Amino acid sequence: MTPEPRRVSVLLPHQLGLLTYAAPEALAPGLVVTVPLGRRDVIGVVWDDAPDPTIDAERLKPVRGVASAITLGDDLRRFVDFVARYTMTPRGAILKMVLRSGEGLVEPKPQMALRLTGAEPDRWTPARLAVRDALAAGPLARKALADASGASAAVITGLMKAGVIAEEAMAREALPAPDLSKRPDLTADQADASARLRAIVEAKRFETVLLEGVTGSGKTEVFFEAIAAAFAAGRQALVLMPEIALTPMVTARLASRFGIVPGEWHSDRTPAARVALWRDVAMGREPIVVGARSALFLPFADLGVIVVDEEHDQSFKQEDGVIYHARDMAIVRAQAAGIPVVLASATPSVESRINADRGRYERLVLPSRYGAVSMPHVEAVDLRRDAPPKGEWISPPVRAAVSETLERGEQALFFLNRRGYAPLTVCRRCGHRFHCPNCAASLVEHRLRGRLVCHHCGHEEGRPRVCPSCQGEDTLAPCGPGVERLEEEARMLWPKARTTVLSSDLAGGSKALGAALGAVARGEVDIIVGTQLVAKGYTFPNLQLVAVVDADLGLENGDPRAAERTFQLLTQVTGRAGRVHEGGRALLQTHAPDHPVIQAMLRGDQEAFYREETEVRRQGALPPYHRLAAVIVSATDRAEAHGHAAALARTAPHGPDVEILGPAEAPLSILRGRFRYRLLVRAPRATPLQDIMAAWLAEVPVRGTVRRAVDIDPQSFL
Ligand code: ADP
Ligand code: ZN
């Protein structure tokens, strides 16, 4: 009989998840190991779970060996377990996100270089002398030496054999350490907030801090102090940004403050750069990473603080694959690691504000703009009274204000959160509308590119000259405005002004966008027409007037977060006016000047908005008072999708602690050719929602073309 082998659990980074192997030696959790799987060898991580004792000893395959000097710490393993449980995703899928640049597990082969040993050859030929001269200044790689000396491979090999030159591994250039000597003169409010943050970072304990302050109040300066405290303690820092477009600004400021170039982690970086950064982070060589949400899964060796900038931004929610909210999971990671997390925003999410008000988070407030520039004056333009001419979108009062602004040599911004030329195209004769063939959505005209585009699936077609339905010529009409159409109107009204559109459709990607933003900042543009892209982050010193073309857009779409989103967006975009000079102004074109959101904007009364919205959430049993989860069922056939959703509804758990609403056809009822239904689950905070849902969903197996996605804490209700 074979002796009972030592057993170990290994988590594989895919669906198979946890498997039990035989361990030739004791293997601590967190070790990265190579294990056999079928006929291949794969990478896995020794996990904390007890191994399966029931598998026959003879059938157990042995761990092949340790695969990396890098190990995954306790905190990271706990984090993986939590995210998997919380998002109802197999653990292997979460581990895969951690190991995604897993090539970084193996130390890259060091670059080899040749150096002089000091030994003398039997004689110095001219070629050998050339080699000696080339190496006089220091070691060179073989190719560089051949180029510099002109010596043949045979000469170099000969000198190596004779021991005159020797090969050695070139030391990897160390990353420079952060320079902590620079400290800005903080205002009293900033100094108070910074002192508090520094103390929490130094104490190395978990705490969620909501850092709230109007745009330009110095939140960034203040969270830099938390980062400085982490650096001073020899720990690493992570800054999560909602959008790649915002990272260059923060990295530039970090570089000037700390004298180092932070590691950037996002989808624009090359795979090689990611592998190198992944490894540097794991080895503790990289002190700071600025990144998009997936940076949260990096294997930091010793993380000291996490900052989530613009914490309210919905881009932190990943909506496909593993559905998770990076802000919420950042809090989980901080808790697992026993470190603080700083949530920074001028307009915190209502959830975060309520959590702060209830004492779950510590709230630090910076009440005023740095440099004594006051907030812009916000006014409403009542479109019911001051309507623009038919077929136009700029009302007379806005027109007058823009003209005055331009006369003073200042910039004006039109804000409209709609890409393209027109959101809908119809035939004036037969009423034909252009819809996406794959989605229940109209095609958006992009006139610059001459295309009709679906913003949900990316389908594109050319804009035809005749109506495909009635063959009418010149009968197709754009309905409603997009930024391109507004630009056309602005050019017509102010032909001498330099006008530009800023939206994510800008040809040339993030580079072109950077250039365009630079031109605006330098005052080379008079009128900017922009989508939400311009709402964030940038400072345009000469921008004094912001006109919101449709302040009601988004208020009436029935989404529980509609009011919050609109308030945040309006606050952000109006806050672009008068950042540097006094006298900033914002005009909101609206049909509902009495709406609470518009009223809060006009009075500059953010607290009124949060009070009102807190009440709505409490009375509506909405987050954070209750928890929500969505189940989205889709299939290529409507009846199939509906059948599965209805079966779920029939087996839904009943009781005081869960409530299941639906199924209802999703507002976006067809997406990429799949019919969609939604169910919404609501439960009190203390309910073990995921456990109840797991038991429920297991009863209705997924068959045929049905796909089922679970979205815990949904942000989007489409
Ligand atoms: P926020 O992140 O709240 O929008 P920032 O930190 O970006 O604010 O500050 C706005 C501007 O004011 C920045 O240009 C910043 O460098 C400057 N600033 C803020 N506080 C100070 C300070 N104490 N000393 C010097 N400049 C400051
Ligand atoms: Zn589509």
Side-chain angles (χ1 to χ4, degrees), residues 425-707:
T425 305
V426 299
C427 173
R428 271 188 306 248
R429 200 164 81 186
C430 74
H432 175 83
R433 292 164 168 242
F434 286 82
H435 281 299
C436 175
N438 315 317
C439 307
S442 37
L443 293 176
V444 178
E445 180 182 355
H446 284 247
R447 191 160 284 190
L448 290 177
R449 285 161 49 208
R451 310 288 284 171
L452 298 173
V453 182
C454 173
H455 285 181
H456 296 287
C457 75
H459 167 86
E460 290 193 10
E461 49 192 69
R463 185 183 191 275
R465 218 176 40 77
V466 298
C467 172
S469 186
C470 71
Q471 270 70 49
E473 288 196 24
D474 297 323
T475 58
L476 299 181
C479 287
V483 279
E484 291 177 10
R485 192 171 194 183
L486 210 71
E487 183 202 21
E488 196 178 86
E489 187 175 334
R491 283 186 191 279
M492 189 189 73
L493 291 171
W494 298 280
K496 293 212 194 82
R498 296 162 297 176
T499 301
T500 193
V501 172
L502 290 181
S503 84
S504 54
D505 293 308
L506 204 70
S510 57
K511 230 186 190 159
L513 180 64
L517 292 166
V520 174
R522 287 190 302 273
E524 293 161 14
V525 168
D526 303 310
I527 299 177
I528 307 124
V529 182
T531 60
Q532 62 171 357
L533 197 73
V534 297
K536 293 174 189 171
Y538 316 105
T539 298
F540 302 136
N542 201 31
L543 180 64
Q544 292 300 91
L545 176 69
V546 170
V548 178
V549 175
D550 187 352
D552 312 329
L553 191 69
L555 267 182
E556 302 303 339
N557 67 5
D559 178 327
R561 289 190 178 80
E564 168 178 2
R565 291 228 176 93
T566 305
F567 180 76
Q568 286 159 345
L569 197 54
L570 291 179
T571 303
Q572 277 185 346
V573 73
T574 56
R576 302 288 120 210
R579 288 257 338 234
V580 174
H581 305 291
E582 277 298 330
R585 247 181 113 189
L587 296 173
L588 310 179
Q589 295 194 154
T590 172
H591 286 96
D594 297 326
H595 191 287
V597 166
I598 307 287
Q599 281 296 315
M601 289 299 306
L602 298 180
R603 291 200 302 267
D605 192 352
Q606 184 147 331
E607 290 308 300
F609 166 75
Y610 283 107
R611 270 197 308 276
E612 164 108 19
E613 195 57 23
T614 300
E615 238 358 80
V616 170
R617 297 284 179 99
R618 193 200 312 275
Q619 284 175 11
L622 290 167
Y625 295 100
H626 275 60
R627 301 180 56 195
L628 294 180
V631 180
I632 301 114
V633 175
S634 70
T636 54
D637 177 76
R638 185 189 299 274
E640 196 182 3
H642 182 259
H644 187 90
L648 281 175
R650 277 195 302 279
T651 51
H654 289 289
D657 48 355
V658 268
E659 181 188 3
I660 291 175
L661 312 163
E665 190 169 65
L668 187 56
S669 58
I670 311 172
L671 176 64
R672 296 189 174 90
R674 301 179 66 83
F675 293 83
R676 304 169 76 241
Y677 286 83
R678 300 181 65 100
L679 295 108
L680 192 63
V681 184
R682 172 160 57 193
R685 277 189 81 100
T687 304
L689 185 64
Q690 284 86 345
D691 295 345
I692 293 173
M693 288 184 65
W696 167 41
L697 297 176
E699 276 181 54
V700 187
V702 173
R703 290 209 185 86
T705 71
V706 169
R707 270 187 232 151

Side-chain angles (χ1 to χ4, degrees), residues 286-303:
E286 174 59 70
I288 180 162
V289 174
V290 178
R293 55 197 177 215
S294 60
L296 192 53
F297 293 88
L298 285 170
F300 288 93
D302 188 8
L303 192 55

